[in-house]
């Protein structure tokens, strides 16, 4: 369910400690692949990054609905 839109700061949700750690690890792996050369494929890590952010967005929406009740 990864979307093709780029993540902007406005719709970037507040992250939990676990999400922050997973995103940091994923970004570090992406950087390492960039150092490997131009032909290194990072698309799997970019999709993983988007999945983590999408999950955080879903969690934030669920919590917002819960707080409204």
């Amino acid at each position: 369910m990864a979307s093709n839109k780029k993540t902007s700061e406005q719709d970037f949700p507040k992250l939990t400690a676990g999400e922050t750690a997973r995103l940091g690890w994923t970004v570090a792996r992406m950087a390492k692949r960039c150092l490997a050369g131009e032909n290194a494929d990072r698309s799997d890590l970019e999709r993983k990054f988007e999945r983590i952010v999408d999950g955080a967005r879903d969690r934030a929406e669920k919590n917002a609905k819960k707080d409204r009740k």
Side-chain angles (χ1 to χ4, degrees), residues 57-69:
R57 220 177 264 125
D58 291 343
R59 178 191 40 77
E61 288 175 11
K62 186 186 288 186
N63 287 343
K65 287 180 183 178
K66 184 178 167 183
D67 291 341
R68 285 185 216 150
K69 290 183 178 182

Side-chain angles (χ1 to χ4, degrees), residues 17-60:
E19 290 163 345
T20 303
R22 288 173 40 207
L23 286 177
W25 185 255
T26 302
V27 169
R29 289 180 62 199
M30 289 167 70
K32 187 175 179 181
R33 286 196 189 172
C34 285
L35 292 174
E38 293 178 14
N39 296 330
D41 184 29
R42 311 186 314 251
S43 62
D44 61 323
L45 295 175
E46 290 170 351
R47 285 191 310 268
K48 182 174 185 173
F49 183 93
E50 286 299 320
R51 278 195 311 269
I52 295 168
V53 172
D54 288 343
R57 220 177 264 125
D58 291 343
R59 178 191 40 77

